[in-house]
Amino acid sequence: MGKRPGTVRERLLETADRLFYATGIHAVGIDRVIAESGVAKSTMYVHFRTKEELVAAYLRRRSDVMRARVTGEAEARAQEPVEERVLAVFDVLDEVISEPGFRGCAFANAAAEYPHHADVQAAIAYDRTWLPALLSGLLHVDGGDELVAALVQVYDGANAAAHLDRSATAARTARKTAELLLSTRRPASSTA
């Protein structure tokens, strides 16, 4: 077991992330999260009044981690052509898919388990904004751009195929598809 995060909230979120993602949200009771995080029940309820509040926080945290990871990789390629910066999205996805315990998209999984809960749906919606925004910014286009929408769908499809088909090559195939899509775009009037 690794080093425990410093704050009670961080411990709860790390434990929830590990358990909810690996096992499924409904399959994990709040008592298990409390026990495995080493936090008192009363302390847990100071930070999260309900399990669903914890679920929403877990999803937002997971979104922020992935957003930082992808954005960091795109920024690391700042000196490369914009297409390579966009393709960083698929390179990171390939790394994620290859990690032990990969179980598909946490947000698709949560949407299936909580199709009507407002807080959980809001956390899912929060996640659905960062990738189109990142791609729009890199490509210098509006958020409703068809190329951006197509790239997001390719990303989503690779994530689903990696899980459902147990495809270790889904992100690499998606990257090739993204390369084809990017090759058809007209250059922007300003350079990246």
Side-chain angles (χ1 to χ4, degrees), residues 127-138 141-144 148-149 152:
D127 179 69
R128 298 298 294 166
T129 63
W130 74 264
L131 184 57
L134 174 66
L135 294 171
S136 295
L138 290 172
V141 296
D142 292 336
V148 169
V152 170

Side-chain angles (χ1 to χ4, degrees), residues 105-179:
C105 175
F107 303 92
N109 297 344
E113 291 194 60
Y114 283 94
H116 305 295
H117 193 280
D119 290 343
V120 174
Q121 288 298 313
I124 293 166
Y126 169 79
D127 179 69
R128 298 298 294 166
T129 63
W130 74 264
L131 184 57
L134 174 66
L135 294 171
S136 295
L138 290 172
L139 294 168
H140 300 288
V141 296
D142 292 336
D145 184 77
E146 287 182 3
L147 175 59
V148 169
L151 290 168
V152 170
Q153 286 184 359
V154 169
Y155 176 92
D156 289 342
N159 212 342
H163 177 59
L164 297 174
D165 301 334
R166 307 267 186 254
S167 172
T169 62
R172 290 188 291 269
T173 300
R175 188 187 202 280
K176 290 176 187 171
T177 303
E179 287 172 353

Side-chain angles (χ1 to χ4, degrees), residues 47-129:
H47 294 278
F48 304 103
R49 292 174 300 165
T50 65
K51 179 180 178 182
E52 287 72 23
E53 197 174 294
L54 177 61
V55 170
Y58 139 73
L59 290 169
R60 286 179 183 273
R61 176 183 182 262
R62 190 165 263 267
S63 180
D64 291 343
V65 167
M66 188 63 167
R67 179 187 320 215
R69 190 170 172 181
V70 171
T71 301
E73 184 60 29
E75 288 172 357
R77 298 179 189 191
Q79 301 307 312
E80 296 181 31
V82 68
E83 292 81 8
E84 282 302 313
R85 296 172 67 203
V86 169
L87 294 172
V89 170
F90 299 94
D91 294 338
V92 172
L93 181 60
D94 188 45
E95 293 170 5
V96 169
I97 288 169
S98 301
E99 291 171 354
F102 175 75
R103 214 174 133 283
C105 175
F107 303 92
N109 297 344
E113 291 194 60
Y114 283 94
H116 305 295
H117 193 280
D119 290 343
V120 174
Q121 288 298 313
I124 293 166
Y126 169 79
D127 179 69
R128 298 298 294 166
T129 63

